[in-house]
Every structure is written in C-alpha cells, then in structure tokens.
C-alpha cells in the first residue's frame, strides 16, 4: 500500500506530504485548492505523460514521490530489483520508493528505489500497485485481456481447475502441431540431410578406424622409417653387453661377472665387499635381461620391412582423409559417427513420427474443443452472476437504470485461455445500446461503474491501492451515502484514496486529508501579482467535524452544521458495511 505521498511544486501545491494508512483515505478542500493534484501526482508515479503546465508557476520543476510497502513476494519487488532499484527489506515485507520529476521545460525523469529508471518501467511497476479511476484512459478493465482475467478470477476455483487442465493440453497441442509443421515443411531438407549422413557413415565404416589408431600408426611409421639406424643401435648395444666372441672379455656382462667373482673371494673377510658382490650379481641379471630384449628387438626389425611401411602409410592416408572431413582426430571422428548414426535413425523415422503426430494433434484438438466448451459454460454462468451483482451496485449508486453487460462469445479458435471473446459493456438504461466501458459515460458515471465493479471483485482480484476521482460527481443525498459505504466496503480489502467534495462520502474515511488554498497578494495589493499555494493536513477528530461542517453548509463554526457533521460521522460508523 501507499504509506506516504509527497508532492512538490505541482499545480498550486508548493510542498505537501500526505501520510496514508490502510483503509479509506479521503482528500477534501475548496474548489481550486489543488485536490486533483493528488490524482495527478499518482498518475505521474504510474508513468502517465508529463505536462510542463502542471509545474507551479515560478518553479523549475515539480516532483511526486511515494513510499510503498509490499509483501516480499509481490511481483513489483522482483521487477524493481531486476531494474536495479534498491529495495528496503524488513521482517514481513519490503519498502520501495517511487519518484517522478517534471521540469518547466517539459523534461521528465523517473526514479525507482533511489535509482534512475525509464518511465516505462515505473509505469509497469505502478500498474501492479495502484489503480486510478476517474478518466476513461485510466480504466483498469479497459482491455479484453484484463476483463477476461477479472471474470476468470470471479468464477473461482471450478474455472481455475478446468482452465489449468485446458492450458496443459493446449501447450501439448501447440508443441505437437509445431513439431508436425516443422517435419512437413523440412521434409526435403531432412531427406538431403539423411542422404548426406548415410554417405558419410558408409565412408567411415569402409575405413573402420579404431580408437587411437592414427597415433599408434604414426609411431610405427616413425620407427620403420628409421629401421636401419635402430638396428645398428640395438646391435651395438647388444654386443657391448654380450660379445659375439666368447673369448673377448671386454663385454659388460663379462666385466661385471669378473668383478663379482673377485669380490666373492674376499667377502668372508669384509661384509661391505660381500654386499657389493651381491649387488653386482643383481646388475649381471639385469644386463642379461636387457641383452635378451635387444636380441628380440633385432629379430623383430628383421621381419618389418618396406612393405609394412607402405601399408602403414596407405592406412594413415585413409585415416587422414576422414580427419580432414569430419573431425580433428580419429577418436573425434568416431564420436561424430556415433552422433550421426543416431541422427540418421531419427531422420529415417520421420514418416512414422509424422503419422503419430498427426493423430495426436487431431485427438488433442478435439479434446480442446470439448474443454473450451466447458470453460465457456462456466464463464457464462460467472458473467451472469457478476453482471447481476454489479448492476445491483449501480442501482444504489444513483444509476438505477444502468446495467453491466458481460458478453462471452464462444466458438473462436482455441487459444491459451479458451475459445471465448469477452467484453464488458455498459447499458445506461433500458432500450439503449450497450457500449464498451469508457464510451458514452461521464467521468463521474464511469468512476461509479468502476467502483461497483471493484467492490464486487475486491475479494478475488485485488490491487493494493485504488484512487477514485469524480466518483461522486453529480450525486447527493442517499446516493452519496451509498457511494461512501461502498468505498468503505472496498477499503476492507485494499487501500482506497478518494478525492471528494461530498461530506456523506468523507464521513466514511479512516483518514481525512484536507487541502487548503492560500492566496498572497502582490506588492500592489492585487492577487494577480501575488501567488497561490496549498497546504495539506491530516485532520484529527475535531478538525474532521469542522471540515464536514464546511462541506455541508460552508460554515465550519456553525454549531448546527457541526452537529449535522457529527451525525454523519456517527451514522457512517453504525451503517452496516455490507451489500
């Protein structure tokens, strides 16, 4: 709800703060005191078009600020954070600051949570926080979408459950239809893709590459390309370990064996030399193992010749061709082939999939038509009830012959919310054509229509704050009392701010705010060369009586007028606040 509204240099208001609370707040004052500037300020905070003419004469700019308290989960909180605003949090909710300034040159700036923001974002957030009723362009239920949403909420859980099931089916139907359309429109492209994949897989399967084969063949090719050098190295090393001439004692194994035997002869005299002899024995065994491996290596080299190298190079060329065409390595070629095979099987299944989707779409569409008919039936029942209840409210609001007509036209194509077109129309009197809300009604009449609708919808479709202007235009007496009573009824569910000139309405207020105009004459004694400003004051109980007396008789000091004002206040507290 709006916790506080601050206005500076807007119209005749120089600097004013409106402390607002829950329930019903009324704003009263003399004609021309600047009451409507309250509505103008709220409109600016909702992203309304700025007007340099609203800036107080002589001021550089005008501004409006509002402190709003919200539940932590309110969508406005998330949207404000998304826009970069600072949001103050406390135990049970959050606090958000909205601000708008208008320069005398017509330039406008918006602020959200202390940060500059586009006016559109301010308006987007404001729409979820405050609803203004007074001018036709401010009607909350002007659009068919809003009207459908309000009717659906009024219809309650039965429609919500049916609509939920319908929407799940509609989403499935749309997804199946989209996939079917894609398969049919892309049939040729998918056929070409399948042929391309088939050729690629055939080429890869013909080569039959193995994991890591390209690297292993590369290593083998390098070995075979240097076979003679490798053979000489292996032979030389082998001869150094075990000489071919057994008479030659200069090979490594013979020298190590000689050293070992020499030490063994004296090992019994020194344990250290015995340990060295044992270690030399181990070295001898190791040298014999290496010599055996070198002999086997030489034998293997003798069996691998130019023929094997030619085979390897041919194979490597075949693998290199696959790498150039499909992936950077053979392992990645194999991965690509695995995915391509899955895609190929998927493309091969197109005809079967199209038949299945076609049947699914037909079946889902038939079910949608049935469910849409059930939704239409529930909506028409709710529309009849809502129309009757709002029309009854209108009769109590000095619009005895007016009727709210809610049309639910069925039979359209199935959409996400059914197959209905919904429209709210106002029939001003019997025999007159019903016209869309906002057309053919005065500002006061329209405000009363919206008040009647909001009173009925308050429990199911609330917005935190409502502002009404001109709601009591052209009425008085009993009708004025009924307007006040219904505003109080609405204020049981939401915060309501009303600009009024009727004491019967003001008597129902939880907070009464008075706007007082002050005219200062110029140096020549003329008001034309001076200035006019307004002050805003929250009234206490005694001040309320005086203000109501002024509104009743223009004589706030009159004892009889004050007695009448007190009677209005007492009656407002006693009147039952229910329809």
């Amino acid at each position: 709800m709006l916790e506080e509204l601050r206005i500076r240099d807007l119209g005749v208001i120089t600097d004013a703060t409106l402390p607002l609370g829950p329930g019903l707040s009324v704003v009263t004052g003399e004609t021309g005191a600047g009451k409507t500037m309250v509505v103008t300020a709220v409109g600016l905070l909702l992203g309304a078009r700025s007007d340099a003419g609203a800036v107080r004469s002589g001021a550089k700019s005008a501004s409006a600020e509002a402190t709003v308290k919200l539940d932590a989960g309110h969508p406005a909180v998330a949207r404000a954070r998304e826009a970069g605003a600072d949001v103050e949090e406390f135990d049970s909710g959050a606090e958000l600051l909205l601000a708008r300034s208008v320069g005398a040159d017509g330039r406008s700036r918006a602020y959200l949570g202390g940060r500059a923001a586009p006016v559109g974002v301010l308006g987007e957030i404001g729409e979820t926080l405050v609803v203004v009723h007074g001018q036709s362009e401010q009607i909350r239920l002007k659009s068919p979408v809003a009207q459908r949403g309000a009717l659906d909420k009024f219809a309650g859980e039965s429609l919500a459950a049916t609509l939920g099931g319908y929407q799940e089916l509609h989403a499935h139907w749309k997804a199946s239809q989209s996939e079917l359309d894609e398969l049919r429109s892309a049939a040729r492209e998918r056929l070409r893709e399948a042929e391309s994949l088939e050729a690629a897989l055939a080429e890869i399967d013909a080569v039959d590459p193995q994991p890591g084969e390209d690297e292993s063949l590369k290593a083998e090719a390098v070995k075979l390309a240097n076979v003679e050098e490798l053979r000489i190295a292996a032979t030389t090393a082998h001869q150094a370990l075990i000489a071919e001439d057994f008479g030659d004692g200069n090979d490594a194994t013979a020298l190590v064996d000689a050293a070992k035997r020499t030490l063994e002869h004296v090992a019994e005299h020194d344990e250290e030399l015995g340990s060295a002899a044992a270690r030399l024995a181990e070295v001898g065994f190791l040298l014999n193992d290496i010599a055996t491996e070198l002999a086997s290596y030489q034998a293997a080299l003798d069996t691998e010749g130019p023929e094997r190298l030619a085979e390897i190079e041919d194979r490597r060329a075949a693998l290199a061709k696959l790498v150039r065409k499909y992936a950077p390595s053979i392992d990645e070629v194999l991965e690509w082939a695995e995915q391509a095979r899955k895609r190929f099987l998927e493309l091969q299944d197109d005809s079967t999939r199209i038949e299945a989707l076609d049947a699914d779409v037909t079946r889902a569409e038939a079910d949608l038509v049935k469910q849409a008919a059930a939704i239409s039936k529930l909506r028409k029942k709710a529309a009849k009830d809502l129309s009757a209840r709002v029309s009854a409210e209108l009769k109590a609001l000095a619009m005895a012959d007016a009727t709210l007509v809610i049309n639910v036209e069925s039979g359209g194509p199935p959409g996400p919310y059914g197959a209905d077109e919904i429209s709210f129309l106002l029939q001003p009197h019997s025999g007159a054509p019903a016209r869309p809300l906002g057309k053919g009604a005065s500002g006061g009449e329209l405000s009363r229509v919206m008040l009647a609708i909001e009173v009925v919808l308050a429990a199911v479709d609330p917005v935190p704050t409502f502002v009404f202007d001109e709601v009591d235009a052209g009425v008085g007496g009993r009708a004025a009392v009924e307007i006040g009573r219904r505003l109080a009824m609405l204020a049981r569910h939401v915060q309501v701010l009303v600009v009024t000139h009727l004491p019967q309405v003001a008597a129902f207020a939880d907070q009464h705010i008075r706007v007082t105009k002050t005219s200062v004459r110029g140096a020549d004694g003329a008001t034309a060369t001076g200035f006019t400003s307004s002050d805003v004051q929250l009234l206490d109980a005694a001040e309320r009586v005086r203000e109501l007396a002024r509104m009743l008789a223009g004589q706030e000091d009159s004892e009889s007028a004050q007695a009448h004002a007190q009677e209005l206040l007492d009656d407002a507290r006693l009147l039952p606040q229910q329809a």
Side-chain angles (χ1 to χ4, degrees):
M1 69 171 188
L2 287 177
E3 187 175 49
E4 187 176 74
L5 180 64
R6 295 175 293 280
I7 305 171
R8 181 180 60 80
D9 292 332
L10 187 64
V12 295
I13 297 179
T14 306
D15 194 355
T17 299
L18 282 70
L20 302 173
L24 174 61
S25 298
V26 298
V27 179
T28 64
E30 294 281 2
T31 301
K35 300 187 300 295
T36 57
M37 288 299 103
V38 175
V39 179
T40 301
V42 173
L44 287 173
L45 294 174
L46 295 180
R49 181 176 297 180
S50 60
D51 180 9
V55 179
R56 190 174 64 85
S57 178
K60 293 182 179 179
S61 64
S63 67
E65 295 181 6
T67 302
V68 186
K69 275 192 175 180
L70 301 166
D71 293 333
H74 194 282
V77 175
R79 183 66 184 91
R81 286 200 177 97
E82 183 183 321
D86 290 331
V87 181
E88 295 289 336
E89 295 186 4
F90 48 91
D91 292 341
S92 58
E95 187 174 274
L96 181 63
L97 178 66
L98 308 179
R100 180 87 179 274
S101 66
V102 181
D105 57 359
R107 293 184 179 181
S108 171
R109 290 181 176 83
Y111 301 90
L112 184 62
R115 304 280 183 88
V119 173
V121 174
L122 192 68
E124 181 182 338
I125 290 177
E127 285 179 356
T128 68
L129 303 177
V130 183
V131 172
V132 178
H133 287 307
Q135 303 300 323
S136 59
E137 64 269 20
Q138 296 168 328
I139 297 178
R140 179 166 74 109
L141 301 179
K142 185 176 182 179
S143 72
V145 172
Q147 293 173 2
R148 188 261 311 151
L151 177 61
D152 286 358
K153 287 182 179 179
F154 179 78
E157 290 298 325
S158 58
L159 177 60
T162 305
L163 185 58
Y166 171 89
Q167 288 177 327
E168 289 182 7
L169 180 60
H170 183 269
H172 171 76
W173 172 69
K174 288 289 288 184
S176 297
Q177 184 66 63
S178 177
E179 185 179 355
L180 179 60
D181 292 342
E182 180 183 354
L183 286 174
R184 284 174 171 168
S185 64
R188 291 182 180 178
E189 289 78 2
R190 293 168 72 88
L191 178 60
R192 284 195 292 268
E193 183 184 357
E195 291 175 347
S196 175
L197 289 176
E198 185 177 24
L201 291 171
E203 182 180 10
I204 294 172
D205 291 343
V207 176
D208 191 23
Q210 301 302 310
E213 185 180 5
D214 50 348
E215 293 299 324
S216 63
L217 287 178
K218 178 181 178 182
E220 189 175 358
V222 170
K223 176 181 174 181
L224 291 177
N226 298 277
V227 67
E228 190 60 32
E229 185 178 353
L230 296 172
R231 181 184 289 109
I232 293 172
T235 300
T236 302
H238 184 267
Q239 289 178 347
L241 294 174
I242 301 178
E244 296 292 337
D245 185 356
F246 293 101
D248 188 353
N250 292 324
D251 58 273
T253 54
L255 292 173
V256 169
D257 187 59
K260 180 193 72 159
R261 288 199 303 272
T262 300
L263 294 177
E264 285 175 342
H265 286 307
V266 296
E268 62 184 30
H269 304 304
D270 191 331
E271 290 183 1
E272 187 175 349
L273 290 180
S275 174
R279 289 159 62 193
L280 284 171
E282 293 176 2
V283 171
F285 294 140
L286 181 59
L287 291 175
N288 278 315
D289 287 343
I290 295 174
T292 301
E293 291 175 4
L294 289 173
S296 298
Y297 183 80
Q298 292 178 67
L301 287 178
D302 290 338
T303 63
E304 298 174 347
E307 296 81 4
R308 175 57 181 163
L309 181 58
E311 291 177 6
I312 290 174
E313 293 300 340
D314 288 344
R315 180 67 176 171
R316 290 184 69 196
L319 295 177
K321 184 178 179 181
L322 297 182
V323 167
R324 284 195 305 272
K325 293 181 69 173
Y326 302 111
S329 68
I330 285 299
D331 287 350
E332 290 171 290
V333 168
L334 292 171
E335 290 179 10
W336 181 89
E338 182 180 358
Q339 297 300 320
R341 212 174 302 279
K342 292 178 181 178
R343 176 63 174 163
F344 178 70
L345 292 175
E346 180 184 321
L347 293 171
Q348 289 293 97
D349 194 40
D350 272 2
S351 58
T352 304
R353 180 62 178 158
I354 286 175
E355 290 177 4
L357 282 172
D358 197 17
D360 184 36
V361 167
T362 301
R363 183 172 55 254
E365 189 168 1
D367 290 342
L368 278 177
V369 171
K370 292 179 182 178
Q371 291 193 26
I375 291 171
S376 294
K377 185 176 180 180
L378 290 171
R379 278 179 174 156
K380 288 176 180 178
K381 180 180 178 181
K384 184 177 180 180
D385 185 18
L386 179 59
S387 174
R389 292 178 63 178
V390 172
S391 298
E393 291 291 329
L394 290 175
K395 288 176 173 58
L397 295 175
M399 298 180 70
D401 297 325
T403 303
L404 179 69
V405 179
I406 302 177
N407 283 340
V408 180
E409 296 184 7
S410 309
Y417 295 95
D420 302 322
E421 290 187 5
I422 298 166
S423 56
F424 283 24
L425 309 172
L426 177 64
Q427 186 178 28
H429 53 81
S430 180
R435 302 188 65 186
L437 293 181
K439 295 183 178 180
S442 67
E445 289 174 331
L446 185 58
S447 289
R448 275 178 275 156
V449 171
M450 296 314 303
L451 172 59
I453 294 175
E454 299 295 7
V455 166
V456 176
L457 294 178
V460 296
D461 188 25
V463 171
T465 301
F466 285 85
V467 178
F468 285 91
D469 188 22
E470 300 184 14
V471 69
D472 51 13
V475 299
R478 185 62 189 171
V481 174
E482 290 299 327
I483 289 175
R485 185 157 70 100
R486 276 154 178 78
L487 287 168
M489 289 169 55
L490 179 60
R492 289 187 301 176
H493 302 281
V494 295
Q495 182 188 42
V496 180
L497 177 62
V498 180
V499 177
T500 183
H501 66 277
L502 291 181
Q504 296 94 327
V505 172
F508 284 88
D510 297 300
Q511 292 87 220
H512 191 145
I513 299 164
R514 180 178 61 196
V515 181
T516 306
K517 179 174 65 174
T518 303
S519 296
V520 178
R521 295 179 179 273
D524 57 358
T527 57
T529 58
F531 64 90
T532 300
S533 64
S534 292
D535 185 31
V536 176
Q537 180 185 4
L538 179 64
L539 304 182
D540 59 23
E543 291 168 335
R544 284 192 71 188
V545 172
R546 288 175 57 83
E547 174 63 5
L548 290 180
R550 181 198 64 77
M551 297 172 72
L552 283 165
Q555 299 175 350
E556 59 267 33
D557 296 326
S558 167
E559 291 184 5
S560 60
Q562 289 185 13
H564 189 185
Q566 187 62 57
E567 184 181 3
L568 278 179
L569 290 169
D570 295 339
D571 288 346
R573 282 192 293 268
L574 294 174
L575 279 173
Q577 305 220 341
Q578 57 185 3

